[in-house]
């Protein structure tokens, strides 16, 4: 054969290469590739797990936010209710106090009126008593004076005689 | 390293270089008995430098190199499989990273060139790349073998033997053909056969590239005057570079053609007749 080409040697080379292929495939290529695949699957799984956890955390966060919103709404409702009740109660208390005050005022007014009337009555009684006394006095004074002047004049006339 | 130790190392190296230089002039080169023409012809054709294969047949040194390379790679693979791979960690060390990168490079190349069918292709180009790269570097070590005529020869790269190169070229073509058949049946065969020159071009590209390296190295070593300093560049650097280039070229070509012939044809669009 030209160029020293030898079919037998080509077949021997072929045998050698096939043997090498089998050795490299089973001892190096396949196990290393399997390991690399396993590792990438491991990291993918980790990534998926992280995404799942992130999604769960997001869901929990969303749920918490919704709960917070609901709670805020409930709290706002309760607050407004309590405020309304407090306002009503305060108004009622105020109204009661006003009524009470009015009552007290009325009672006081009545008492005062009564006292006034009583005082007036007493005063008028005293005044009239005093007036009577004064009149009596005046009368007595005028009568005694007259008697006195009469007696004095009578006395004078007697002396003249 | 202290300054004193550096000077001692430097002096030891200088003495060794001088001893080897003097020794190379004293010892007669056996290559001088053969003319440069004969050496070159023997490198290409291996007409006289044959090695006996267990007494069964006289074969080219390239075949012995091929068996040696397979033996070395197998031993390495067995050691790695037993002692290294079971200790692989998710955060890789340097050696694990090197192995993963070697497998990953060819796997990515296969997936990139043939996204639809690449499992077998990835394994094949991994093997081909490792074989070409390690086989080419193998010639750097200059392992000696005894020829049938009793001469000592340095074992060459397996693919600098025409039979080894033809094997790789034709095997790559057969792999491409298998990809075509697996994916597209008879159409795939047609597509592959269309590139009928591929096995020849692949074989001779490999043979030419690796043989040229061997010839240049042989030429340099033939003359004593060129055997100083120059082999560092020619012998080591060129060998490393063309080991890388040839491994890349053959694997890339195989992956590209494999992807091309195994690609599923796009469904034909039905012609819509324009209504008048």
């Amino acid at each position: 054969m030209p160029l020293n080409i030898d079919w037998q040697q080509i077949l021997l080379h072929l045998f050698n290469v096939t043997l090498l292929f089998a050795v490299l495939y089973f001892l190096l290529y396949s196990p290393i590739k399997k390991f690399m695949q396993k590792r990438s699957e491991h990291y993918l799984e980790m990534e998926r797990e992280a995404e799942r956890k992130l999604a769960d955390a997001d869901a929990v966060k969303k749920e918490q936010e919704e709960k917070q919103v609901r709670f805020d709404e409930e709290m706002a409702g309760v607050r407004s209710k309590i405020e309304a009740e407090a306002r009503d109660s305060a108004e009622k208390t105020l109204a009661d106090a006003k009524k009470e005050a009015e009552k007290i005022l009325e009672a006081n007014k009545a008492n005062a009126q009564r006292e006034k009337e009583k005082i007036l009555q007493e005063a008028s009684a005293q005044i009239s008593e005093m007036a009577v006394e004064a009149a009596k006095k005046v009368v007595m004074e005028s009568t005694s004076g007259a008697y006195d002047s009469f007696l004095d004049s009578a006395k004078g006339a007697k002396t003249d005689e | 390293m202290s300054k004193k130790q550096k000077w001692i190392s430097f002096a030891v190296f200088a003495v060794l270089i001088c001893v080897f230089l003097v020794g190379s002039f004293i010892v007669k080169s056996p290559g001088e008995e053969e003319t440069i023409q004969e050496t070159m012809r023997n490198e290409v054709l291996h007409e006289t430098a044959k090695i006996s294969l267990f007494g069964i047949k006289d074969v080219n040194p390239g075949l012995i190199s091929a068996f040696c390379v397979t033996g070395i790679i197998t031993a390495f693979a067995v050691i790695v499989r037993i002692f290294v791979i079971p200790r692989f960690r998710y955060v890789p060390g340097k050696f694990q990273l090197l192995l993963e990168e070697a497998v990953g490079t060819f796997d990515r190349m296969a997936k990139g060139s043939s996204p639809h069918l690449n499992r077998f292709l990835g394994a094949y180009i991994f093997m081909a790349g490792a074989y070409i790269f390690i086989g080419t570097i193998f010639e750097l070590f200059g392992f000696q073998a005894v020829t049938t005529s009793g001469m000592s020869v340095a074992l060459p790269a397996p693919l600098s033997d025409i039979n080894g190169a033809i094997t790789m070229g034709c095997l790559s073509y057969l792999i491409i053909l298998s990809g075509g058949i697996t994916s597209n049946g008879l159409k795939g065969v047609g597509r592959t056969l269309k590139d009928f020159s591929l096995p020849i071009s692949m074989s001779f590209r490999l043979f030419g590239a690796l043989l040229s390296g061997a010839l240049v190295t042989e030429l340099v070593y033939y003359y004593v005057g060129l055997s100083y300093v120059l082999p560092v560049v020619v012998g080591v650097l060129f060998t490393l570079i063309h080991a890388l280039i040839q491994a890349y070229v053959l694997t890339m070509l195989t992956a590209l053609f494999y992807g091309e012939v195994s690609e599923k044809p796009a469904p034909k669009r039905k012609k819509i007749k324009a209504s008048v």
Side-chain angles (χ1 to χ4, degrees), chain A residues 117-132:
Chain A
E117 282 171 4
K118 193 181 169 185
I119 288 166
L120 279 174
Q121 275 174 358
E122 280 175 6
S124 63
Q126 278 177 358
I127 289 166
S128 48
E129 203 172 295
M130 277 169 72
V132 170

Side-chain angles (χ1 to χ4, degrees), chain A:
Chain A
M1 286 286 275
L3 285 171
N4 198 19
I5 295 170
D6 183 347
W7 291 110
Q8 207 173 5
Q9 287 192 50
I10 289 175
L11 286 175
L12 282 169
H13 271 289
L14 201 61
F15 157 76
N16 178 56
V17 170
T18 314
L19 182 72
L20 184 66
F21 177 77
V23 165
L24 281 181
Y25 181 75
F26 289 112
L27 293 181
L28 283 185
Y29 186 80
S30 186
I32 292 175
K33 213 182 149 187
K34 266 183 198 163
F35 174 80
M36 286 162 74
Q37 210 161 357
K38 191 179 147 194
R39 184 178 52 196
S40 51
E41 273 169 13
H42 170 75
Y43 283 123
L44 272 174
E45 184 55 41
M46 273 176 75
E47 199 183 333
R48 276 197 290 269
E49 185 67 30
E51 278 173 3
R52 209 164 32 237
K53 279 182 180 170
L54 211 62
D56 286 352
D58 277 347
V60 169
K61 192 185 167 191
K62 207 175 171 184
E63 197 182 333
Q64 285 301 320
E65 280 173 355
E66 279 172 6
K67 273 185 183 173
Q68 185 67 42
V69 168
R70 274 204 303 274
F71 177 74
D72 286 348
E73 283 172 1
E74 276 175 22
M75 284 304 291
V78 169
R79 193 183 291 122
S80 60
K81 196 179 166 187
I82 288 170
E83 276 175 2
E85 278 176 8
R87 203 165 39 242
D88 289 349
S89 166
E91 279 172 4
K92 196 181 167 190
T93 310
L94 203 65
D96 289 349
K98 269 183 183 177
K99 271 183 191 172
E100 193 69 24
E102 276 171 8
K103 263 185 193 174
I104 291 166
L105 205 63
E106 286 293 321
N108 286 346
K109 271 182 182 175
N111 280 343
Q113 190 66 34
R114 269 197 305 277
E115 282 293 318
K116 188 184 167 185
E117 282 171 4
K118 193 181 169 185
I119 288 166
L120 279 174
Q121 275 174 358
E122 280 175 6
S124 63
Q126 278 177 358
I127 289 166
S128 48
E129 203 172 295
M130 277 169 72
V132 170
E133 281 296 319
K136 263 182 191 174
K137 220 174 210 180
V138 169
V139 169
M140 285 297 282
E141 272 178 12
S142 61
T143 310
S144 67
Y147 279 129
D148 284 345
S149 58
F150 174 69
L151 284 176
D152 283 342
S153 56
K155 206 177 219 179
K158 201 174 181 181
T159 52
D160 286 341
E161 287 173 347

Side-chain angles (χ1 to χ4, degrees), chain B residues 58-139:
Chain B
D58 292 347
V59 294
N60 296 344
L63 184 62
I64 303 298
S65 301
F67 286 139
C68 289
V69 168
T70 302
I72 291 166
I73 295 175
T74 305
F76 173 78
V78 168
I79 290 167
V80 167
R81 182 70 188 88
I82 294 171
F83 297 109
V84 181
I85 293 177
R87 291 189 179 88
F88 268 12
R89 287 169 301 167
Y90 281 158
V91 179
K94 284 176 187 171
F95 187 59
Q96 185 186 335
L97 200 65
L98 181 78
L99 290 172
E100 283 184 12
E101 194 52 35
V103 171
T105 301
F106 291 108
D107 190 46
R108 282 193 299 273
M109 189 190 274
K111 280 177 181 161
S113 304
S114 177
H116 32 274
L117 187 72
N118 51 47
R119 201 167 153 223
F120 183 71
L121 175 69
Y124 176 73
I125 59 174
F126 174 70
M127 181 279 293
Y131 182 56
I132 296 170
F133 184 74
I134 296 167
T136 309
I137 287 177
F138 176 78
E139 73 176 357

